Amino acid sequence: MNGKILVLTALESELDKSRAPAEIEVIFTGVGKINTTIATLQAVQAMQPKLVVNYGTAGKLNTKLNGLVEVSDVIQRDMNAEPLAPRGRTPFAPDLDRLVSGQRGVICGSGDSFVTSTDPWLVANNVDIVDMELFAIAQVCLRHGIRWRAFKFITDDANDFAHEHWTANVANGQDLFWDAMKGVKV
């Protein structure tokens, strides 16, 4: 597959891979940063893509957002090793705190929890949306010198009803994503 675009998404329920054009390979990573890291490493090593695109669902903290958004920056919302390092920072690895796609867009906070309430730390760090996979994908790409982009479909308001809204909306962003991919080039 050398030179093609690799699309990574957590679940089959989020994206119909049969709709992918010939130059795009779709891999499902599973949920969370560990599953995603393993799947991303395997896919990157096997396929050696020029560009990795993450598509997935997200909860929104920024009430102005709806539909499909592109991510500019991603941070780890659940890395908390205080007092060794401030929340969001991996101790002894300060160069990997905030990963940047090079695109204009929103700030995503990745973590291994489903967000159902307001977190003042996220607000203070201007996090617009939350997911469970992007930081892992971006970090693997950084370590392998591969460009990455991410598109997230807003499914919920990251509140008490998030799980119900996510379940109802998980597959609703596919058309918007495949339309956006028409403009993405290696």
Side-chain angles (χ1 to χ4, degrees):
M1 179 189 127
N2 225 347
K4 290 188 179 180
I5 298 172
L6 173 61
V7 171
L8 299 173
T9 193
L11 302 169
E12 291 182 42
S13 59
E14 291 178 297
L15 191 65
D16 179 1
K17 108 185 236 179
S18 70
R19 294 180 59 185
E23 69 277 4
I24 296 176
E25 181 72 29
V26 176
I27 300 289
F28 299 106
T29 64
V31 173
K33 293 186 295 182
I34 290 175
N35 290 329
T36 300
T37 299
I38 293 166
T40 303
L41 279 168
Q42 290 173 337
V44 162
Q45 290 170 344
M47 299 174 193
Q48 300 178 353
K50 298 288 185 211
L51 174 66
V52 171
V53 176
N54 172 231
Y55 169 71
T57 55
K60 70 177 177 180
L61 303 176
N62 181 337
T63 59
K64 297 176 185 172
L65 299 176
N66 286 300
L68 188 73
V69 296
E70 185 158 8
V71 176
S72 62
D73 303 62
V74 62
I75 62 174
Q76 284 195 92
R77 61 182 166 80
D78 63 347
M79 175 52 73
N80 192 346
E82 294 174 325
L84 296 176
R87 181 175 170 189
R89 178 171 292 166
T90 302
F92 316 110
D95 58 323
L96 302 177
D97 294 342
R98 181 183 210 93
L99 306 178
V100 179
S101 70
Q103 303 296 314
R104 295 179 72 122
V106 300
I107 298 172
C108 179
S110 279
D112 283 324
S113 62
F114 196 81
V115 177
T116 59
S117 63
T118 302
D119 178 336
W121 185 86
L122 296 174
V123 174
N125 283 276
N126 300 313
V127 172
D128 296 299
I129 62 171
V130 290
D131 87 332
M132 297 175 70
E133 294 83 26
L134 180 55
F135 192 86
I137 292 167
Q139 189 173 73
V140 169
C141 288
L142 175 69
R143 301 267 179 156
H144 285 84
I146 300 170
R147 290 185 316 112
W148 65 272
R149 291 178 73 174
F151 296 90
K152 298 293 182 174
F153 180 70
I154 307 297
T155 56
D156 61 82
D157 293 333
N159 61 19
D160 289 339
F161 302 103
H163 67 287
E164 294 170 16
H165 294 163
W166 179 85
T167 301
N169 295 313
V170 65
N172 293 345
Q174 295 186 66
D175 291 339
L176 295 171
F177 173 70
W178 288 121
D179 285 345
M181 285 302 292
K182 291 175 185 172
V184 173
K185 304 294 180 220
V186 178

